[in-house]
Amino acid sequence: MPKGSLISDIGSMQLESPLILASGILDENGYTMRRMLEEGAAAVVTKSIGSTERAGFTPPVVVDLGDNLLNAIGLSNPGIEHFKEEISIAKGIGKPVIGSIFGATAEEFAYLASRMQSYGADAVELNLSCPHVKGFGSEVGSDPSLVEDIVSEVKAKINVPVLAKLTPNVTDIVSIAKAAEKADALVLINTVKAMHIDIYARMPTLSNAYGGLSGPAIKPIGVRAVYDVYRETEMDIIGCGGISRFEDVLEYMMAGARAVEIGTALKTYGRAIFDNIKRDTIRFLESEGIENIEEIIGAAVKK
Amino acid sequence: MIHAEIIRKEKLTPTVSTLYFHWNADVKPGQFVMVWAPGTGEIPMSLSHIGKEKAFTIKNYGPSSDMLIKLEPGQKIFFRGPYGRPFSAVNGKTLLIGGGSGMASLHPLISRNAFGLIAARTREEILFMDEFESGNVSVTTDDGTFGIRGNVLAGLKDLDVDSFDMIYACGPEVMLYNLYKHLKDKNVNAELSLERLMKCGIGVCDSCSINGFQLCRDGPTFTMDQLRYMNEFGTEKLTFSGTRVSVH
């Protein structure tokens, strides 16, 4: 590996850097995902896709909180049958595309995962953590035995790496992580369940009332979750939540993450964020005399 | 969310009204806001008036616009913005081409040097015709009830497009695509303001994207050179759920 290289891997998936586009941000249209890859993302995670078409919630679906963001898009998606073309378009550039899926049962997840694999997805991310839709996401992902069933079923059906994205909206994330131990990697964390009220309208701003908070405000929660799970398990971890600068990437990696997902920061910094963080991270490694980025994974954790 | 009180309301056509309000913000022609109808929805809307007094010109076409158009002076409106890349300013002769309520976002560009080409379905839907200098406006209607019968291309036949320093256009995508094809091999400067389904307005949800460019942030105004590389323009778009469909 060349000095200052950022090459990373998750299971059998090779990444040119640890910087992945997170699910839910700019990843509904294949051409957009392709542009993200062209402009520096090492991989993209698609919007979460379910078995059937789903409109999602009526706007307002976001509340702009400066660098932070509250959203309740409502798992809007075209349904797995209509998603093949977007994957093909995104894959045109030859970098990894990770298919995110959501369902209510282990069988549904397994079906969606095998479709994603057949479309050419390089890995599958299980959305066990969306905080704002009844019957899906964190409702599924808060039940350790259901999480274990889902991961087992999916692992039995596909060969590409399986990533389990977990919710921070639980008392003990380590027990959920252990339930998902058959996954090739964990993604920690999804958004934090939250709300915003407009005081002049005297009602919640989001049409769904509840949403998920993302951005720098939740980074310390994400870093803590990665640290806890890294200390208690041997699993590969992808850090997610509030990453907008190279310092954030390193903080997550020192807590135990092998790679990171970036989403909300695109709002503030635009598509150039991937190349900017890459450049700054390489500079940091050089100035600190770190030959291999793997050296820093978990560096801050006392096992 | 910003809130303001409606100070005046002007009915322009049976289905279009302008709502005026005070908002101390620097807004440029072509920019938009996301307007919230509490309890009903939120929609993108161009500002038709951007001076000290701001205004939206609203057409009644769905639940949120229905609710907004019924608001009266004294009532509150809620919105966030301004968003989007404005039309670039030029000195010289301009041609403003507006289709339907697309005229709203062109309204701030009306000046003595501007020639208007207004495309409407029918006579009573023509917007802002009287605000152009006399002799500086041409109108097309689909049903021939006023001006030239036909679409915007029929109106372009009699115009020497090369003689303008800039062409600004706004309207439905099919109209803009026809206009783009008409102009693309000519030596003209043009900026087209596109309309697409928009949910977030801040460049994160991907609903309004064309070839990886977010209309809400990289646009809604695009130059001819940018449009040349967008094969989704005029051909395909995503629905509210994200299903890929034809624009036509």
Side-chain angles (χ1 to χ4, degrees), chain A residues 139-198:
Chain A
E139 287 194 15
V140 173
S142 305
D143 175 348
S145 66
L146 187 50
V147 167
E148 193 177 342
D149 284 353
I150 291 167
V151 174
S152 302
E153 280 283 318
V154 171
K155 276 301 289 177
K157 286 271 163 50
I158 62 173
N159 309 314
V160 295
V162 175
L163 320 179
K165 186 166 182 177
L166 304 187
T167 174
N169 304 303
V170 290
T171 311
D172 178 18
I173 198 166
V174 174
S175 65
I176 307 289
K178 285 180 174 165
E181 69 177 346
K182 285 188 185 150
D184 297 277
L186 299 173
V187 182
L188 306 172
I189 54 176
N190 204 320
T191 56
V192 177
K193 194 170 185 178
M195 184 182 285
H196 179 271
I197 288 172
D198 189 290

Short mmCIF file of all heavy atoms in Angstrom, two decimals, chain A residues 139-198:
data_model
loop_
_atom_site.label_atom_id
_atom_site.label_comp_id
_atom_site.label_asym_id
_atom_site.label_seq_id
_atom_site.Cartn_x
_atom_site.Cartn_y
_atom_site.Cartn_z
N GLU A 139 -38.25 0.46 14.38
CA GLU A 139 -39.18 -0.43 15.09
C GLU A 139 -38.75 -1.88 14.92
O GLU A 139 -38.87 -2.70 15.83
CB GLU A 139 -40.61 -0.23 14.58
CG GLU A 139 -41.21 1.08 15.05
CD GLU A 139 -42.72 1.16 14.86
OE1 GLU A 139 -43.37 0.12 14.64
OE2 GLU A 139 -43.24 2.28 14.94
N VAL A 140 -38.25 -2.19 13.72
CA VAL A 140 -37.72 -3.52 13.45
C VAL A 140 -36.36 -3.68 14.13
O VAL A 140 -36.07 -4.70 14.76
CB VAL A 140 -37.58 -3.73 11.92
CG1 VAL A 140 -36.87 -5.03 11.59
CG2 VAL A 140 -38.94 -3.66 11.23
N GLY A 141 -35.56 -2.64 14.03
CA GLY A 141 -34.17 -2.71 14.47
C GLY A 141 -33.96 -2.56 15.96
O GLY A 141 -32.82 -2.59 16.44
N SER A 142 -35.05 -2.40 16.73
CA SER A 142 -34.92 -2.32 18.19
C SER A 142 -35.15 -3.68 18.84
O SER A 142 -35.03 -3.83 20.04
CB SER A 142 -35.93 -1.34 18.78
OG SER A 142 -35.79 -0.09 18.17
N ASP A 143 -35.52 -4.67 18.02
CA ASP A 143 -35.85 -6.00 18.53
C ASP A 143 -34.70 -6.95 18.19
O ASP A 143 -34.55 -7.38 17.05
CB ASP A 143 -37.16 -6.45 17.86
CG ASP A 143 -37.56 -7.87 18.21
OD1 ASP A 143 -36.73 -8.60 18.79
OD2 ASP A 143 -38.70 -8.24 17.91
N PRO A 144 -33.86 -7.30 19.19
CA PRO A 144 -32.66 -8.08 18.89
C PRO A 144 -32.94 -9.40 18.19
O PRO A 144 -32.20 -9.78 17.28
CB PRO A 144 -32.04 -8.31 20.28
CG PRO A 144 -32.63 -7.28 21.16
CD PRO A 144 -33.96 -6.95 20.61
N SER A 145 -34.02 -10.10 18.55
CA SER A 145 -34.24 -11.41 17.92
C SER A 145 -34.67 -11.24 16.47
O SER A 145 -34.29 -12.03 15.59
CB SER A 145 -35.24 -12.25 18.72
OG SER A 145 -36.50 -11.65 18.69
N LEU A 146 -35.43 -10.19 16.18
CA LEU A 146 -35.82 -9.91 14.79
C LEU A 146 -34.60 -9.50 13.97
O LEU A 146 -34.42 -9.94 12.84
CB LEU A 146 -36.90 -8.82 14.76
CG LEU A 146 -37.57 -8.49 13.42
CD1 LEU A 146 -38.06 -9.75 12.71
CD2 LEU A 146 -38.74 -7.52 13.63
N VAL A 147 -33.74 -8.70 14.57
CA VAL A 147 -32.50 -8.28 13.89
C VAL A 147 -31.66 -9.52 13.55
O VAL A 147 -31.16 -9.67 12.42
CB VAL A 147 -31.69 -7.30 14.76
CG1 VAL A 147 -30.27 -7.11 14.22
CG2 VAL A 147 -32.42 -5.94 14.84
N GLU A 148 -31.57 -10.42 14.49
CA GLU A 148 -30.77 -11.64 14.27
C GLU A 148 -31.36 -12.46 13.13
O GLU A 148 -30.64 -12.92 12.24
CB GLU A 148 -30.75 -12.45 15.57
CG GLU A 148 -29.72 -13.56 15.54
CD GLU A 148 -29.66 -14.33 16.87
OE1 GLU A 148 -30.15 -13.82 17.89
OE2 GLU A 148 -29.12 -15.45 16.84
N ASP A 149 -32.69 -12.61 13.12
CA ASP A 149 -33.37 -13.36 12.04
C ASP A 149 -33.14 -12.70 10.68
O ASP A 149 -32.86 -13.38 9.70
CB ASP A 149 -34.89 -13.38 12.28
CG ASP A 149 -35.26 -14.37 13.37
OD1 ASP A 149 -34.36 -15.10 13.82
OD2 ASP A 149 -36.44 -14.38 13.75
N ILE A 150 -33.28 -11.40 10.64
CA ILE A 150 -33.15 -10.68 9.36
C ILE A 150 -31.73 -10.86 8.82
O ILE A 150 -31.54 -11.22 7.65
CB ILE A 150 -33.48 -9.17 9.55
CG1 ILE A 150 -34.97 -8.99 9.82
CG2 ILE A 150 -33.06 -8.37 8.31
CD1 ILE A 150 -35.35 -7.60 10.32
N VAL A 151 -30.75 -10.64 9.67
CA VAL A 151 -29.36 -10.74 9.21
C VAL A 151 -29.06 -12.18 8.75
O VAL A 151 -28.45 -12.40 7.70
CB VAL A 151 -28.37 -10.28 10.31
CG1 VAL A 151 -26.93 -10.53 9.86
CG2 VAL A 151 -28.58 -8.79 10.61
N SER A 152 -29.52 -13.17 9.51
CA SER A 152 -29.27 -14.57 9.14
C SER A 152 -29.91 -14.92 7.80
O SER A 152 -29.28 -15.53 6.93
CB SER A 152 -29.85 -15.53 10.19
OG SER A 152 -29.29 -15.25 11.43
N GLU A 153 -31.18 -14.52 7.63
CA GLU A 153 -31.89 -14.80 6.38
C GLU A 153 -31.18 -14.15 5.19
O GLU A 153 -31.02 -14.77 4.14
CB GLU A 153 -33.32 -14.24 6.44
CG GLU A 153 -34.31 -15.08 7.20
CD GLU A 153 -34.77 -16.29 6.38
OE1 GLU A 153 -35.02 -16.16 5.16
OE2 GLU A 153 -34.85 -17.37 6.99
N VAL A 154 -30.80 -12.91 5.36
CA VAL A 154 -30.16 -12.19 4.26
C VAL A 154 -28.81 -12.81 3.95
O VAL A 154 -28.47 -13.05 2.79
CB VAL A 154 -30.00 -10.68 4.59
CG1 VAL A 154 -29.15 -9.98 3.53
CG2 VAL A 154 -31.37 -10.00 4.68
N LYS A 155 -28.03 -13.12 4.99
CA LYS A 155 -26.71 -13.73 4.77
C LYS A 155 -26.83 -15.06 4.04
O LYS A 155 -25.99 -15.43 3.23
CB LYS A 155 -26.00 -13.95 6.12
CG LYS A 155 -25.25 -12.76 6.67
CD LYS A 155 -24.16 -12.23 5.74
CE LYS A 155 -22.96 -13.16 5.64
NZ LYS A 155 -21.96 -12.61 4.65
N ALA A 156 -27.91 -15.79 4.32
CA ALA A 156 -28.11 -17.09 3.67
C ALA A 156 -28.45 -16.94 2.19
O ALA A 156 -28.27 -17.86 1.40
CB ALA A 156 -29.22 -17.86 4.39
N LYS A 157 -28.97 -15.77 1.80
CA LYS A 157 -29.47 -15.58 0.42
C LYS A 157 -28.48 -14.93 -0.53
O LYS A 157 -28.59 -15.07 -1.74
CB LYS A 157 -30.75 -14.72 0.45
CG LYS A 157 -31.97 -15.46 0.96
CD LYS A 157 -32.69 -16.15 -0.18
CE LYS A 157 -33.65 -17.23 0.28
NZ LYS A 157 -34.57 -16.80 1.33
N ILE A 158 -27.54 -14.13 -0.02
CA ILE A 158 -26.67 -13.40 -0.94
C ILE A 158 -25.20 -13.59 -0.59
O ILE A 158 -24.86 -13.97 0.54
CB ILE A 158 -27.01 -11.88 -0.96
CG1 ILE A 158 -26.80 -11.21 0.40
CG2 ILE A 158 -28.44 -11.64 -1.45
CD1 ILE A 158 -26.95 -9.70 0.39
N ASN A 159 -24.35 -13.30 -1.56
CA ASN A 159 -22.90 -13.47 -1.37
C ASN A 159 -22.18 -12.16 -1.12
O ASN A 159 -21.09 -12.15 -0.56
CB ASN A 159 -22.28 -14.09 -2.63
CG ASN A 159 -23.03 -15.33 -3.06
OD1 ASN A 159 -23.34 -16.17 -2.22
ND2 ASN A 159 -23.35 -15.43 -4.33
N VAL A 160 -22.78 -11.06 -1.60
CA VAL A 160 -22.10 -9.77 -1.42
C VAL A 160 -22.19 -9.38 0.06
O VAL A 160 -23.04 -9.88 0.79
CB VAL A 160 -22.72 -8.67 -2.32
CG1 VAL A 160 -22.51 -9.00 -3.79
CG2 VAL A 160 -24.19 -8.45 -1.99
N PRO A 161 -21.30 -8.49 0.52
CA PRO A 161 -21.30 -8.12 1.93
C PRO A 161 -22.64 -7.54 2.39
O PRO A 161 -23.33 -6.85 1.64
CB PRO A 161 -20.20 -7.05 2.02
CG PRO A 161 -19.29 -7.31 0.88
CD PRO A 161 -20.17 -7.85 -0.21
N VAL A 162 -23.00 -7.85 3.63
CA VAL A 162 -24.23 -7.35 4.24
C VAL A 162 -23.86 -6.37 5.35
O VAL A 162 -23.11 -6.70 6.26
CB VAL A 162 -25.04 -8.53 4.83
CG1 VAL A 162 -26.28 -8.00 5.57
CG2 VAL A 162 -25.44 -9.50 3.73
N LEU A 163 -24.37 -5.17 5.23
CA LEU A 163 -24.12 -4.13 6.23
C LEU A 163 -25.42 -3.89 7.00
O LEU A 163 -26.47 -3.73 6.38
CB LEU A 163 -23.67 -2.82 5.57
CG LEU A 163 -22.70 -2.91 4.38
CD1 LEU A 163 -22.40 -1.51 3.84
CD2 LEU A 163 -21.42 -3.59 4.81
N ALA A 164 -25.35 -3.86 8.31
CA ALA A 164 -26.55 -3.61 9.11
C ALA A 164 -26.45 -2.21 9.71
O ALA A 164 -25.54 -1.92 10.49
CB ALA A 164 -26.67 -4.65 10.21
N LYS A 165 -27.38 -1.34 9.29
CA LYS A 165 -27.36 0.04 9.80
C LYS A 165 -28.29 0.14 11.00
O LYS A 165 -29.49 -0.09 10.88
CB LYS A 165 -27.76 1.02 8.71
CG LYS A 165 -27.62 2.49 9.15
CD LYS A 165 -27.71 3.44 7.97
CE LYS A 165 -27.52 4.88 8.37
NZ LYS A 165 -27.54 5.78 7.20
N LEU A 166 -27.70 0.47 12.14
CA LEU A 166 -28.44 0.41 13.40
C LEU A 166 -28.87 1.79 13.88
O LEU A 166 -28.29 2.81 13.51
CB LEU A 166 -27.58 -0.26 14.47
CG LEU A 166 -27.05 -1.66 14.13
CD1 LEU A 166 -26.37 -2.26 15.36
CD2 LEU A 166 -28.14 -2.58 13.62
N THR A 167 -29.88 1.76 14.74
CA THR A 167 -30.43 3.00 15.29
C THR A 167 -29.80 3.35 16.63
O THR A 167 -29.57 2.45 17.45
CB THR A 167 -31.96 2.89 15.45
OG1 THR A 167 -32.43 4.07 16.11
CG2 THR A 167 -32.38 1.68 16.26
N PRO A 168 -29.59 4.64 16.88
CA PRO A 168 -29.12 5.04 18.21
C PRO A 168 -30.29 5.19 19.17
O PRO A 168 -30.07 5.44 20.35
CB PRO A 168 -28.48 6.41 17.93
CG PRO A 168 -29.31 6.97 16.81
CD PRO A 168 -29.71 5.78 15.96
N ASN A 169 -31.53 5.04 18.66
CA ASN A 169 -32.71 5.28 19.50
C ASN A 169 -33.08 4.04 20.32
O ASN A 169 -34.22 3.59 20.31
CB ASN A 169 -33.88 5.72 18.62
CG ASN A 169 -33.54 6.95 17.79
OD1 ASN A 169 -33.16 7.98 18.32
ND2 ASN A 169 -33.64 6.82 16.49
N VAL A 170 -32.07 3.44 20.95
CA VAL A 170 -32.28 2.27 21.80
C VAL A 170 -31.47 2.48 23.08
O VAL A 170 -30.55 3.30 23.11
CB VAL A 170 -31.81 0.96 21.11
CG1 VAL A 170 -32.72 0.60 19.95
CG2 VAL A 170 -30.37 1.06 20.64
N THR A 171 -31.81 1.71 24.09
CA THR A 171 -31.10 1.85 25.38
C THR A 171 -29.68 1.27 25.26
O THR A 171 -28.73 1.84 25.76
CB THR A 171 -31.86 1.09 26.48
OG1 THR A 171 -33.22 1.48 26.39
CG2 THR A 171 -31.31 1.42 27.85
N ASP A 172 -29.57 0.14 24.57
CA ASP A 172 -28.28 -0.56 24.53
C ASP A 172 -27.94 -1.00 23.11
O ASP A 172 -28.36 -2.06 22.65
CB ASP A 172 -28.35 -1.77 25.47
CG ASP A 172 -27.06 -2.56 25.45
OD1 ASP A 172 -26.03 -2.03 25.00
OD2 ASP A 172 -27.10 -3.74 25.87
N ILE A 173 -27.18 -0.18 22.43
CA ILE A 173 -26.87 -0.47 21.02
C ILE A 173 -25.96 -1.69 20.91
O ILE A 173 -25.99 -2.41 19.90
CB ILE A 173 -26.28 0.78 20.31
CG1 ILE A 173 -26.39 0.62 18.79
CG2 ILE A 173 -24.85 1.04 20.74
CD1 ILE A 173 -26.17 1.89 18.01
N VAL A 174 -25.18 -1.98 21.95
CA VAL A 174 -24.26 -3.13 21.89
C VAL A 174 -25.04 -4.44 21.76
O VAL A 174 -24.66 -5.33 21.00
CB VAL A 174 -23.32 -3.16 23.12
CG1 VAL A 174 -22.47 -4.42 23.11
CG2 VAL A 174 -22.42 -1.92 23.11
N SER A 175 -26.19 -4.53 22.45
CA SER A 175 -26.96 -5.78 22.37
C SER A 175 -27.55 -5.96 20.97
O SER A 175 -27.64 -7.08 20.46
CB SER A 175 -28.05 -5.82 23.44
OG SER A 175 -29.00 -4.81 23.18
N ILE A 176 -27.92 -4.86 20.32
CA ILE A 176 -28.43 -4.95 18.94
C ILE A 176 -27.26 -5.32 18.01
O ILE A 176 -27.40 -6.15 17.11
CB ILE A 176 -29.05 -3.62 18.47
CG1 ILE A 176 -30.10 -3.11 19.45
CG2 ILE A 176 -29.64 -3.76 17.06
CD1 ILE A 176 -31.39 -3.89 19.51
N ALA A 177 -26.11 -4.73 18.24
CA ALA A 177 -24.93 -5.03 17.43
C ALA A 177 -24.59 -6.51 17.52
O ALA A 177 -24.30 -7.16 16.51
CB ALA A 177 -23.75 -4.18 17.89
N LYS A 178 -24.65 -7.06 18.73
CA LYS A 178 -24.34 -8.48 18.91
C LYS A 178 -25.37 -9.36 18.20
O LYS A 178 -25.04 -10.40 17.64
CB LYS A 178 -24.26 -8.83 20.39
CG LYS A 178 -22.96 -8.31 21.01
CD LYS A 178 -22.86 -8.64 22.49
CE LYS A 178 -21.47 -8.23 23.02
NZ LYS A 178 -21.44 -8.19 24.51
N ALA A 179 -26.63 -8.89 18.18
CA ALA A 179 -27.68 -9.64 17.48
C ALA A 179 -27.41 -9.67 15.98
O ALA A 179 -27.82 -10.58 15.27
CB ALA A 179 -29.04 -9.02 17.76
N ALA A 180 -26.70 -8.65 15.49
CA ALA A 180 -26.42 -8.53 14.04
C ALA A 180 -25.02 -9.06 13.71
O ALA A 180 -24.49 -8.76 12.65
CB ALA A 180 -26.55 -7.08 13.61
N GLU A 181 -24.46 -9.89 14.57
CA GLU A 181 -23.03 -10.23 14.40
C GLU A 181 -22.70 -11.04 13.14
O GLU A 181 -21.55 -11.09 12.72
CB GLU A 181 -22.49 -10.93 15.65
CG GLU A 181 -23.06 -12.32 15.84
CD GLU A 181 -22.44 -13.00 17.07
OE1 GLU A 181 -21.42 -12.51 17.58
OE2 GLU A 181 -23.00 -14.03 17.48
N LYS A 182 -23.73 -11.63 12.51
CA LYS A 182 -23.45 -12.34 11.26
C LYS A 182 -23.26 -11.39 10.08
O LYS A 182 -22.84 -11.81 8.99
CB LYS A 182 -24.58 -13.32 10.95
CG LYS A 182 -24.55 -14.57 11.82
CD LYS A 182 -25.57 -15.59 11.35
CE LYS A 182 -25.61 -16.78 12.30
NZ LYS A 182 -26.96 -17.38 12.32
N ALA A 183 -23.58 -10.12 10.28
CA ALA A 183 -23.39 -9.15 9.20
C ALA A 183 -21.89 -8.96 8.95
O ALA A 183 -21.07 -9.18 9.84
CB ALA A 183 -24.04 -7.82 9.57
N ASP A 184 -21.55 -8.56 7.74
CA ASP A 184 -20.14 -8.32 7.42
C ASP A 184 -19.64 -7.02 8.06
O ASP A 184 -18.45 -6.88 8.30
CB ASP A 184 -19.95 -8.27 5.91
CG ASP A 184 -20.30 -9.60 5.29
OD1 ASP A 184 -19.43 -10.48 5.28
OD2 ASP A 184 -21.46 -9.77 4.86
N ALA A 185 -20.57 -6.09 8.27
CA ALA A 185 -20.20 -4.85 8.95
C ALA A 185 -21.45 -4.18 9.50
O ALA A 185 -22.56 -4.46 9.05
CB ALA A 185 -19.49 -3.90 7.98
N LEU A 186 -21.21 -3.34 10.48
CA LEU A 186 -22.30 -2.54 11.04
C LEU A 186 -22.13 -1.11 10.58
O LEU A 186 -21.00 -0.64 10.41
CB LEU A 186 -22.25 -2.55 12.57
CG LEU A 186 -22.41 -3.91 13.24
CD1 LEU A 186 -22.16 -3.77 14.75
CD2 LEU A 186 -23.81 -4.46 12.98
N VAL A 187 -23.24 -0.42 10.37
CA VAL A 187 -23.17 1.01 10.09
C VAL A 187 -23.79 1.72 11.29
O VAL A 187 -24.94 1.48 11.64
CB VAL A 187 -23.93 1.37 8.79
CG1 VAL A 187 -23.81 2.86 8.50
CG2 VAL A 187 -23.41 0.54 7.62
N LEU A 188 -23.00 2.56 11.93
CA LEU A 188 -23.42 3.22 13.17
C LEU A 188 -23.17 4.71 13.03
O LEU A 188 -22.02 5.10 12.86
CB LEU A 188 -22.62 2.69 14.37
CG LEU A 188 -22.61 1.16 14.59
CD1 LEU A 188 -21.63 0.80 15.69
CD2 LEU A 188 -24.01 0.68 14.93
N ILE A 189 -24.19 5.53 13.05
CA ILE A 189 -25.57 5.33 13.44
C ILE A 189 -26.51 5.95 12.37
O ILE A 189 -26.07 6.73 11.53
CB ILE A 189 -25.87 6.07 14.78
CG1 ILE A 189 -25.48 7.54 14.66
CG2 ILE A 189 -25.16 5.39 15.94
CD1 ILE A 189 -25.77 8.43 15.84
N ASN A 190 -27.78 5.64 12.46
CA ASN A 190 -28.79 6.35 11.68
C ASN A 190 -29.19 7.61 12.47
O ASN A 190 -28.61 7.90 13.51
CB ASN A 190 -30.00 5.44 11.44
CG ASN A 190 -30.80 5.86 10.20
OD1 ASN A 190 -30.99 7.05 9.94
ND2 ASN A 190 -31.25 4.90 9.44
N THR A 191 -30.17 8.34 11.97
CA THR A 191 -30.56 9.62 12.60
C THR A 191 -31.19 9.40 13.98
O THR A 191 -31.64 8.31 14.30
CB THR A 191 -31.56 10.36 11.71
OG1 THR A 191 -32.68 9.50 11.47
CG2 THR A 191 -30.94 10.76 10.39
N VAL A 192 -31.23 10.48 14.73
CA VAL A 192 -31.79 10.46 16.09
C VAL A 192 -33.22 11.02 16.02
O VAL A 192 -33.45 12.10 15.46
CB VAL A 192 -30.92 11.32 17.03
CG1 VAL A 192 -31.53 11.37 18.43
CG2 VAL A 192 -29.49 10.77 17.09
N LYS A 193 -34.15 10.27 16.56
CA LYS A 193 -35.56 10.68 16.49
C LYS A 193 -35.76 12.04 17.17
O LYS A 193 -35.32 12.25 18.29
CB LYS A 193 -36.44 9.63 17.18
CG LYS A 193 -37.91 9.79 16.88
CD LYS A 193 -38.70 8.59 17.38
CE LYS A 193 -40.15 8.70 16.97
NZ LYS A 193 -40.92 7.52 17.40
N ALA A 194 -36.40 12.96 16.46
CA ALA A 194 -36.45 14.34 16.94
C ALA A 194 -37.67 15.08 16.39
O ALA A 194 -38.42 14.53 15.57
CB ALA A 194 -35.16 15.05 16.52
N MET A 195 -37.85 16.30 16.82
CA MET A 195 -39.01 17.09 16.40
C MET A 195 -38.68 18.58 16.40
O MET A 195 -37.84 19.04 17.16
CB MET A 195 -40.18 16.85 17.38
CG MET A 195 -41.47 17.56 16.98
SD MET A 195 -42.81 17.29 18.18
CE MET A 195 -43.28 15.62 17.79
N HIS A 196 -39.38 19.32 15.53
CA HIS A 196 -39.27 20.78 15.52
C HIS A 196 -40.68 21.35 15.49
O HIS A 196 -41.54 20.87 14.75
CB HIS A 196 -38.50 21.24 14.28
CG HIS A 196 -38.37 22.73 14.17
ND1 HIS A 196 -39.30 23.52 13.55
CD2 HIS A 196 -37.42 23.57 14.65
CE1 HIS A 196 -38.91 24.79 13.63
NE2 HIS A 196 -37.77 24.85 14.29
N ILE A 197 -40.91 22.37 16.30
CA ILE A 197 -42.23 23.01 16.31
C ILE A 197 -42.10 24.44 15.82
O ILE A 197 -41.20 25.17 16.22
CB ILE A 197 -42.83 22.96 17.73
CG1 ILE A 197 -43.25 21.50 18.04
CG2 ILE A 197 -44.03 23.91 17.87
CD1 ILE A 197 -43.67 21.27 19.48
N ASP A 198 -42.99 24.82 14.92
CA ASP A 198 -43.03 26.21 14.47
C ASP A 198 -43.91 26.98 15.44
O ASP A 198 -45.12 26.71 15.54
CB ASP A 198 -43.57 26.31 13.04
CG ASP A 198 -43.42 27.73 12.50
OD1 ASP A 198 -44.13 28.64 12.99
OD2 ASP A 198 -42.57 27.93 11.62
#
